[in-house]
Amino acid sequence: MSETMADAGADTQPLIKVENLRKLFPVSKSIFREAHDFVHAVDGIDFEIAPGESLGLVGESGCGKSTTGRMLTKLTDATSGQILLADEGELIDIASIQRSHMRRFRRRVQMIFQDPFESLNPRRTVYDTVAESLTVQRIGSVQQREERVAELLHRVGLTPPEQFLFRYPHELSGGQRQRVAIARALVIDPTFVVADEPTSMLDVSIRISIMDLMLKLAEEFNVSYLYITHDLAVARYMCDRIAVMYLGKIVEIAPTEELLSNPQHPYTRALLSAVPVPDPAHKRERIDIKGGISKALNPPPVCRFIERCPRATDHCRTSDHPEFTDLGDGHFVACYNL
Amino acid sequence: MAQTLHIESRGGRVGTPLLEVQNLVMHYGTKEGEVSAVDNVSFTLNNGEAIGLVGESGCGKTSVALTLLRLLPDNSVIKGGDIKLDGESLIDLDEEQMRRRRWRDISMVFQGAMNSWNPVYRIGDQIREALRLHWPETLTYQEETDRIGALFELVGLNPVTMERYPHEFSGGMRQRAVIAMALSCNPKVIIADEPTTALDVIVQDQILRELKKIQQELGMSIIYISHDIAVIAEVTERMGVMYAGKLVELGSTLEVFHRPRHPYSYLLLSSTPSITGPRRKLAPLEGEPPNLLNPPTGCRFHPRCPFAIDKCSSEEPGLVEVGEGHSVACWNWQEVPEIGGLQK
Amino acid sequence: MADILTPPTERLDGFDPSAVLEEPLWRIRLRLSWRSFRKNWALFSDNKMGIVGILIIALFGIMALAHPVLMATVWQDHLEGGKNVYDIRAGADSIIVTKTIVEEVTDPVTQISQIEAMFLGTGVSIPEIGDTIEAPLANPAPPVLSGVDHPHILGTDPFGGDVFSQLLFGARAAFLLGAIAALSSVALATLVGTIAAYFGGVIDTLLMRLADLVILIPLLPLLIVVSGFWNVELTMLGILIGVLGGLGGTAIILKSQALSVKVKPFIDAARIAGGGHWRIITRHIIPNVLPLSFLYMMFAVTGAIFTEAALSFLGLLNIQQSWGIMINIAHTQGYTLEGLDVWWLMLPAGLSITLFSAGFFLVGRAMDEVVNPRLRKR
């Protein structure tokens, strides 16, 4: 079914369309008191993901990238805004989804987690873990589920599957666990997978094989990824486009190579200049920004980056957080001083 | 008086050997058997030099550091080899003599050290404690305060902040304070084990630059330990690559990065994504690191090595010189291509 | 959704998923449980403490099983005055006769000492010599290890009941009480703790305030009051101890464990798979809390036995026979102060209470090391 949708026009109809998505976490709330202070974890973001495309969401810790991923998988409810998911020609709004549509949504959207040691239930076998969504949603007979799980294990490279089906997580290495997690996400044939730093806990030598596997499977299963990472080099390897987040806002979004070669937002530039390069001969141009990340607690309505920005002007201090400027070729940047 | 303000490396003339590690062997005794965590590791750290040890988790790089400081857990045994600091062997020192040298001669920035501050004491007082324990003479309170202030300035912290508690510091500031503490007694050597691993890129970059500046200005000798070859590329002059408890390649950082001779170094470099250079398919490193309870015979890398020959599974290669100051432990190093050579 | 179950075979490069599993799933699961049991047993049996505990519990298990078997076989025909001498009730309602209070007892069938009479009497006044008093026919008889006509190997109680028989029967009562109390307490604690942790918010607040309340109520005085209103029997006592223990401290401990499980990413993963609250609680949280629950079950047994002993000693329970009752009878019949002279009245029962509790406690401690790997020695 996803094939037909991709044919229907990858350029015209996005798979995921996020509009003005916000998540505010109340601070010091109790049943007796209304909260007055909010952490603006995600503060009005917009983006689209085409069928089969991978979007990288890059930013430092606390920028709201993981919260975005959790809203897209409905682990966290959005405070406001829309998340539209294209499914069989219809657009479902994830943010305000009906209970009756929940099952259908869970078949379309899956997630791969960061820590393979914590994302598998230690008391359940590989089979139980991978078959979970089939079992819960009562898809197929026991025999069919077994076969589907075996097929998935084969496809994620846990071969021969019979050797892995009934192992417990503690009997697997980190890389093998992450393969199980990938199999679990894909077993139900989703169209969209949120991958939250799936390789950051793995050893360097395992990392590439997992990333390659994810790229291969993206093609085979025709899934789109929202790839959340703090590592721009990894995002470059995995993603077609990259969105850079800072304090709950997307400050720049562009096709991968365009973003790396032609960064426009001062934060993107600083971030890029700070990434260590595995080449001792490489001399990079440093762009210093002041201080550390500001707090997302009740931020003023001006540009979120203003305190650290080397090119902030009076205009920035008196205006709202800038809207996206379209630089062409899908390159958008939220800054007044380009 | 002024001497207490002076932050320096107490090592010798720049370029002369300071720390010599010779054929170090260290095992951990476990229920299942002996784990050979460090096997026959030799390297030299010169005065004023920054060297790096790189490898995956469990390759023995942290064990090397702990062995140098003799901060090993009870179930470990140093089986052989020698560690010489300024020509004096550290291996035969008893615990008390070693304790006196530990912070004063060799200090360490531990992995995750920024989370090891005691939350109920002020940062400055915790450094003061280190000074009282390890500074050769007794200092007055004012002298201590002055020195801590000087240390704070050196690592890019405002001296006023020494009165603050750890929770009032950001992660980056705490890590800077850890570095200040490591420098507090003018050590000869600093061992920095994953000094920036838990930090965000921008902060990591600031701290690495700070460390590099300090190292160059003071002529400090630093051993960096990291799993991240990009970090090693940034800050070191020479580097060693470790795999499964063994040092498999040793050479200048430039050499190793541009012309790695060991298949493992080669694959490690080829499998590291970068934001620079052409976007290329990376060569995956197949398989998983071996279990050190029962390491493979011959070369420990041979089961994963695409260049392995028959000899590799039976005979263990020693380090051989392949260029100036560049040695590699591989039987088939001539076959290792230039970076990118394996790509389709 | 059948389409996802019939994959395009060309992607599988000749791999046939239907050929992977030949064995039925239940048999594999059975084998897995057996394997994990053996592994945990290996860890458990590493600890000598646990083995000692198991041996103690096994000993009492044999005792509990032995009672009905002995009654039906060896002890069957020991009749005396129409009653089986080994019947735990035979002594309790044994013949009451009128005895004369004398200074020096020469005939225990018709005479009684002043001190004994004082304990038998209801008032505080010292009975006069020469008065008569209703008293049981027999005095406690000391243990006799041989002899057919007086075959009480641990002697008799003041009513002539066989102490050994009572001791065996008491083990049965202890197991019954312990099991009821432990199961109800831990079942309740697991459920309450998990639900409070999982749902949080108002449910959590309510359940936890309830737990605070239960902790504040002193168990023993409450049970004393309850026994004044109702006829508290063994099963009811077990359930009462279970409910009060389960709603209190254990629930809070198991809640904190459930909380640490709830925040694990595998719970998020289960939600993404589409699992409802009930499935997540029963399949994902409870299995990870259960080892700790088992642990607290062991400690709950210990608590229940102590509580029962205390209440029985005070004579507040309507229980046929238990170790506590044995001590209670010795006490109410005035033998508390005679100490070692009548050791068989209290020592066997007291030791049994202590050992039985210690057995479960030791098993609990050894299980603790299986459940919390941090406690294990390298």
Side-chain angles (χ1 to χ4, degrees), chain C residues 98-155:
Chain C
T98 311
K99 291 183 179 178
T100 317
I101 299 167
V102 293
E103 225 167 308
E104 196 93 4
V105 178
T106 49
D107 177 13
V109 179
T110 55
Q111 296 170 331
I112 192 166
S113 74
Q114 212 175 0
I115 292 181
E116 277 180 68
M118 187 180 87
F119 278 104
L120 276 178
T122 43
V124 279
S125 61
I126 298 168
E128 297 289 327
I129 300 215
D131 279 3
T132 55
I133 190 167
E134 301 280 293
L137 178 67
N139 270 330
V144 176
L145 290 173
S146 63
V148 185
D149 47 337
H150 194 66
H152 303 295
I153 60 167
L154 275 178

Coordinates of all heavy atoms in Angstrom, one line a residue, chain C residues 98-155:
Chain C
T98 N -12.6 -32.6 90.7 CA -12.5 -31.7 91.8 C -11.3 -32.1 92.6 O -11.1 -33.3 93.0 CB -13.7 -31.8 92.7 OG1 -14.9 -31.7 91.9 CG2 -13.7 -30.7 93.8
K99 N -10.4 -31.1 92.8 CA -9.1 -31.4 93.6 C -9.1 -30.6 94.9 O -9.6 -29.5 94.9 CB -7.9 -31.1 92.7 CG -7.7 -32.0 91.5 CD -6.5 -31.7 90.8 CE -6.3 -32.6 89.6 NZ -5.1 -32.3 88.8
T100 N -8.5 -31.2 95.8 CA -8.3 -30.5 97.1 C -7.0 -29.7 97.1 O -6.0 -30.3 96.6 CB -8.3 -31.5 98.3 OG1 -9.3 -32.4 98.0 CG2 -8.5 -30.8 99.6
I101 N -7.0 -28.5 97.6 CA -5.8 -27.7 97.6 C -5.0 -28.2 98.9 O -5.5 -28.1 100.0 CB -6.1 -26.2 97.6 CG1 -6.8 -25.9 96.3 CG2 -4.8 -25.4 97.7 CD1 -7.4 -24.5 96.4
V102 N -3.8 -28.6 98.6 CA -2.9 -29.1 99.7 C -1.6 -28.4 99.6 O -1.2 -27.8 98.6 CB -2.7 -30.6 99.7 CG1 -4.1 -31.3 100.0 CG2 -2.1 -31.1 98.4
E103 N -0.8 -28.5 100.7 CA 0.5 -28.0 100.7 C 1.5 -28.8 100.0 O 2.3 -28.3 99.2 CB 1.0 -27.8 102.2 CG 1.6 -26.4 102.4 CD 1.8 -26.2 103.9 OE1 0.8 -26.3 104.6 OE2 2.9 -25.8 104.3
E104 N 1.4 -30.2 100.2 CA 2.3 -31.1 99.6 C 1.5 -32.1 98.8 O 0.7 -32.8 99.3 CB 3.1 -31.9 100.6 CG 4.3 -32.6 100.1 CD 5.6 -31.7 100.2 OE1 5.5 -30.6 100.7 OE2 6.6 -32.2 99.7
V105 N 1.7 -32.1 97.4 CA 0.9 -33.0 96.6 C 1.4 -34.4 96.7 O 2.6 -34.6 96.3 CB 0.9 -32.5 95.1 CG1 0.0 -33.4 94.3 CG2 0.3 -31.1 95.1
T106 N 0.6 -35.3 97.1 CA 1.0 -36.7 97.2 C 0.2 -37.5 96.1 O 0.8 -38.5 95.5 CB 0.7 -37.4 98.5 OG1 -0.6 -37.1 98.9 CG2 1.7 -36.9 99.6
D107 N -1.0 -37.1 95.8 CA -1.7 -37.8 94.8 C -2.2 -36.8 93.7 O -3.2 -36.0 94.0 CB -2.9 -38.5 95.4 CG -3.8 -39.2 94.4 OD1 -3.4 -39.3 93.2 OD2 -5.0 -39.5 94.7
P108 N -1.6 -36.7 92.6 CA -1.9 -35.6 91.7 C -3.3 -35.8 91.1 O -3.9 -34.9 90.5 CB -0.9 -35.8 90.6 CG -0.2 -37.1 90.8 CD -0.5 -37.5 92.2
V109 N -4.0 -37.0 91.3 CA -5.3 -37.1 90.8 C -6.3 -36.4 91.6 O -7.3 -35.8 91.1 CB -5.7 -38.6 90.7 CG1 -7.1 -38.8 90.1 CG2 -4.7 -39.4 89.8
T110 N -6.1 -36.3 92.9 CA -7.1 -35.6 93.7 C -6.6 -34.4 94.4 O -7.4 -33.6 95.0 CB -7.6 -36.6 94.8 OG1 -6.4 -37.1 95.6 CG2 -8.3 -37.8 94.3
Q111 N -5.3 -34.1 94.4 CA -4.8 -33.0 95.1 C -4.1 -32.0 94.1 O -3.7 -32.3 93.0 CB -3.7 -33.4 96.1 CG -4.4 -34.3 97.2 CD -3.4 -34.9 98.1 OE1 -2.2 -35.2 97.7 NE2 -3.7 -35.2 99.3
I112 N -4.0 -30.8 94.6 CA -3.3 -29.7 93.8 C -2.6 -28.7 94.7 O -3.0 -28.5 95.8 CB -4.4 -29.0 92.9 CG1 -3.7 -28.1 91.8 CG2 -5.4 -28.2 93.8 CD1 -4.7 -27.6 90.8
S113 N -1.5 -28.2 94.2 CA -0.7 -27.3 95.1 C -1.3 -25.9 95.1 O -2.1 -25.6 94.2 CB 0.7 -27.2 94.6 OG 0.8 -26.4 93.4
Q114 N -1.0 -25.1 96.1 CA -1.5 -23.8 96.2 C -1.2 -22.9 95.0 O -2.1 -22.2 94.5 CB -1.0 -23.2 97.5 CG -2.0 -22.3 98.2 CD -1.4 -21.8 99.5 OE1 -0.3 -22.1 99.9 NE2 -2.2 -21.0 100.2
I115 N 0.0 -23.0 94.6 CA 0.4 -22.1 93.5 C -0.3 -22.5 92.2 O -0.9 -21.6 91.5 CB 2.0 -22.2 93.2 CG1 2.7 -21.6 94.4 CG2 2.4 -21.5 92.0 CD1 4.2 -21.6 94.4
E116 N -0.4 -23.8 91.9 CA -1.1 -24.2 90.7 C -2.6 -23.7 90.8 O -3.2 -23.3 89.8 CB -1.1 -25.7 90.5 CG 0.2 -26.2 89.9 CD 0.2 -27.7 89.7 OE1 -0.6 -28.2 88.9 OE2 1.0 -28.3 90.4
A117 N -3.1 -23.9 91.9 CA -4.5 -23.5 92.1 C -4.7 -22.0 91.9 O -5.7 -21.6 91.3 CB -5.0 -23.9 93.5
M118 N -3.7 -21.3 92.3 CA -3.8 -19.8 92.1 C -3.9 -19.4 90.7 O -4.7 -18.6 90.2 CB -2.6 -19.1 92.8 CG -2.7 -17.6 92.8 SD -1.2 -16.9 93.6 CE -0.1 -16.9 92.2
F119 N -3.1 -20.1 89.9 CA -3.1 -19.8 88.4 C -4.4 -20.3 87.8 O -4.8 -19.7 86.8 CB -1.9 -20.5 87.7 CG -0.6 -19.6 87.9 CD1 0.4 -19.9 88.8 CD2 -0.5 -18.4 87.1 CE1 1.5 -19.1 88.9 CE2 0.6 -17.6 87.2 CZ 1.6 -18.0 88.1
L120 N -4.9 -21.4 88.3 CA -6.2 -21.9 87.7 C -7.4 -21.0 88.0 O -8.3 -20.9 87.3 CB -6.5 -23.3 88.3 CG -5.8 -24.5 87.6 CD1 -6.1 -25.8 88.3 CD2 -6.1 -24.5 86.1
G121 N -7.3 -20.4 89.2 CA -8.4 -19.6 89.7 C -8.6 -18.4 88.9 O -7.7 -17.9 88.1
T122 N -9.7 -17.8 89.0 CA -10.0 -16.6 88.2 C -9.6 -15.3 89.0 O -9.2 -14.3 88.4 CB -11.5 -16.5 87.8 OG1 -12.3 -16.9 89.0 CG2 -11.8 -17.4 86.7
G123 N -9.8 -15.4 90.3 CA -9.6 -14.2 91.1 C -8.1 -14.0 91.4 O -7.3 -14.8 91.0
V124 N -7.8 -13.0 92.2 CA -6.4 -12.7 92.5 C -6.1 -13.2 93.9 O -4.9 -13.3 94.3 CB -6.1 -11.2 92.4 CG1 -5.8 -10.8 91.0 CG2 -7.2 -10.4 93.1
S125 N -7.1 -13.6 94.6 CA -6.9 -14.0 96.0 C -6.2 -15.4 96.0 O -6.4 -16.2 95.1 CB -8.2 -14.1 96.8 OG -9.0 -15.0 96.1
I126 N -5.4 -15.6 97.0 CA -4.7 -16.9 97.1 C -5.7 -17.9 97.7 O -6.3 -17.7 98.8 CB -3.5 -16.8 98.1 CG1 -2.5 -15.8 97.4 CG2 -2.8 -18.1 98.3 CD1 -1.4 -15.3 98.3
P127 N -5.8 -19.1 97.0 CA -6.8 -20.1 97.5 C -6.3 -20.6 98.8 O -5.1 -20.8 99.1 CB -6.7 -21.1 96.4 CG -6.0 -20.6 95.3 CD -5.1 -19.5 95.8
E128 N -7.3 -20.9 99.7 CA -7.0 -21.4 101.0 C -6.7 -22.9 100.9 O -7.3 -23.6 100.1 CB -8.2 -21.3 101.9 CG -8.6 -19.8 102.2 CD -7.6 -19.1 103.1 OE1 -7.1 -19.8 104.0 OE2 -7.4 -17.9 102.9
I129 N -5.8 -23.4 101.8 CA -5.5 -24.8 101.8 C -6.7 -25.5 102.4 O -7.4 -25.0 103.3 CB -4.3 -25.1 102.7 CG1 -3.1 -24.3 102.1 CG2 -4.1 -26.6 102.9 CD1 -1.8 -24.9 102.2
G130 N -7.1 -26.6 101.7 CA -8.2 -27.4 102.2 C -9.5 -27.1 101.3 O -10.4 -27.9 101.3
D131 N -9.5 -26.0 100.6 CA -10.6 -25.7 99.6 C -10.5 -26.7 98.5 O -9.5 -27.3 98.3 CB -10.5 -24.3 99.1 CG -11.0 -23.3 100.1 OD1 -11.4 -23.7 101.2 OD2 -11.0 -22.1 99.7
T132 N -11.5 -26.8 97.7 CA -11.5 -27.6 96.5 C -11.6 -26.7 95.3 O -12.1 -25.6 95.4 CB -12.7 -28.6 96.5 OG1 -13.9 -27.9 96.7 CG2 -12.5 -29.6 97.6
I133 N -11.1 -27.3 94.2 CA -11.1 -26.5 93.0 C -11.3 -27.4 91.8 O -10.9 -28.6 91.8 CB -9.9 -25.6 92.9 CG1 -10.0 -24.6 91.7 CG2 -8.6 -26.5 92.7 CD1 -8.9 -23.6 91.7
E134 N -12.0 -27.0 90.8 CA -12.1 -27.7 89.5 C -10.8 -27.7 88.8 O -10.3 -26.6 88.5 CB -13.2 -27.2 88.6 CG -14.6 -27.1 89.3 CD -15.3 -28.4 89.2 OE1 -15.6 -28.9 88.1 OE2 -15.5 -29.1 90.3
A135 N -10.2 -28.8 88.5 CA -8.9 -28.8 87.8 C -8.8 -30.0 86.9 O -9.5 -31.0 87.1 CB -7.8 -28.9 88.8
P136 N -8.0 -29.8 85.8 CA -7.8 -31.0 84.9 C -7.2 -32.2 85.6 O -6.5 -32.0 86.6 CB -6.9 -30.5 83.8 CG -6.4 -29.2 84.2 CD -7.2 -28.7 85.4
L137 N -7.6 -33.3 85.1 CA -7.2 -34.6 85.8 C -5.7 -34.7 85.8 O -5.1 -35.0 86.8 CB -7.8 -35.8 85.0 CG -7.5 -37.1 85.6 CD1 -8.0 -37.3 87.0 CD2 -8.0 -38.2 84.6
A138 N -5.1 -34.5 84.6 CA -3.6 -34.8 84.5 C -2.8 -33.5 84.6 O -3.2 -32.4 84.2 CB -3.3 -35.5 83.2
N139 N -1.6 -33.6 85.1 CA -0.6 -32.6 85.1 C 0.3 -32.8 83.9 O 0.2 -33.9 83.3 CB 0.2 -32.6 86.4 CG -0.4 -31.8 87.4 OD1 -1.1 -30.8 87.1 ND2 -0.2 -32.2 88.7
P140 N 1.0 -31.8 83.5 CA 1.9 -32.0 82.4 C 2.9 -33.2 82.7 O 3.5 -33.2 83.7 CB 2.7 -30.7 82.2 CG 2.5 -30.0 83.4 CD 1.2 -30.4 84.0
A141 N 2.9 -34.1 81.7 CA 3.8 -35.3 81.9 C 5.1 -35.0 81.2 O 5.1 -34.5 80.1 CB 3.1 -36.5 81.4
P142 N 6.2 -35.3 81.8 CA 7.5 -35.1 81.1 C 7.7 -36.1 80.0 O 7.0 -37.1 79.9 CB 8.5 -35.4 82.2 CG 7.8 -36.3 83.2 CD 6.4 -35.9 83.1
P143 N 8.6 -35.8 79.1 CA 8.8 -36.7 77.9 C 9.3 -38.1 78.4 O 10.1 -38.2 79.3 CB 9.9 -36.0 77.1 CG 10.0 -34.7 77.7 CD 9.5 -34.7 79.1
V144 N 8.8 -39.1 77.7 CA 9.2 -40.4 77.9 C 9.6 -41.0 76.6 O 8.8 -41.0 75.6 CB 8.1 -41.3 78.6 CG1 8.6 -42.7 78.7 CG2 7.7 -40.7 79.9
L145 N 10.8 -41.4 76.4 CA 11.3 -41.8 75.1 C 10.9 -43.2 74.7 O 10.9 -43.6 73.6 CB 12.8 -41.6 74.9 CG 13.1 -40.1 74.9 CD1 14.6 -39.9 75.0 CD2 12.5 -39.4 73.7
S146 N 10.6 -44.0 75.8 CA 10.2 -45.4 75.5 C 9.0 -45.8 76.3 O 8.6 -45.0 77.2 CB 11.4 -46.3 75.7 OG 11.7 -46.3 77.1
G147 N 8.5 -46.9 76.1 CA 7.4 -47.4 76.9 C 6.1 -47.2 76.1 O 5.8 -46.2 75.5
V148 N 5.3 -48.3 76.1 CA 4.1 -48.3 75.3 C 2.9 -47.6 76.0 O 2.1 -46.9 75.5 CB 3.7 -49.8 75.0 CG1 2.5 -49.8 74.0 CG2 4.9 -50.5 74.4
D149 N 2.9 -47.7 77.4 CA 1.8 -47.2 78.1 C 1.9 -45.7 78.3 O 0.9 -45.0 78.6 CB 1.7 -47.9 79.5 CG 3.0 -47.9 80.2 OD1 4.0 -47.9 79.5 OD2 3.0 -48.0 81.4
H150 N 3.0 -45.1 78.1 CA 3.2 -43.6 78.3 C 4.0 -43.1 77.1 O 5.1 -42.7 77.3 CB 3.8 -43.3 79.6 CG 3.7 -41.9 80.0 ND1 2.5 -41.3 80.2 CD2 4.6 -40.9 80.1 CE1 2.7 -40.0 80.5 NE2 4.0 -39.7 80.4
P151 N 3.5 -43.1 75.9 CA 4.3 -42.9 74.8 C 4.4 -41.5 74.3 O 4.4 -41.2 73.1 CB 3.6 -43.8 73.7 CG 2.1 -43.7 74.1 CD 2.1 -43.3 75.6
H152 N 4.6 -40.5 75.2 CA 4.7 -39.1 74.8 C 6.1 -38.7 74.7 O 6.8 -38.4 75.7 CB 3.9 -38.2 75.8 CG 2.5 -38.6 76.0 ND1 1.6 -38.5 74.9 CD2 1.8 -39.1 77.0 CE1 0.4 -38.9 75.4 NE2 0.5 -39.3 76.6
I153 N 6.7 -38.7 73.5 CA 8.1 -38.5 73.4 C 8.5 -37.0 73.7 O 9.6 -36.7 74.0 CB 8.7 -38.9 72.0 CG1 8.1 -38.1 70.9 CG2 8.6 -40.4 71.8 CD1 8.8 -38.3 69.6
L154 N 7.5 -36.1 73.6 CA 7.8 -34.8 74.1 C 6.9 -34.4 75.3 O 6.7 -33.2 75.5 CB 7.7 -33.8 72.9 CG 8.9 -33.6 72.0 CD1 8.6 -32.6 70.9 CD2 10.1 -33.1 72.8
G155 N 6.5 -35.4 75.9 CA 5.6 -35.2 77.1 C 4.2 -34.7 76.7 O 3.8 -34.8 75.5

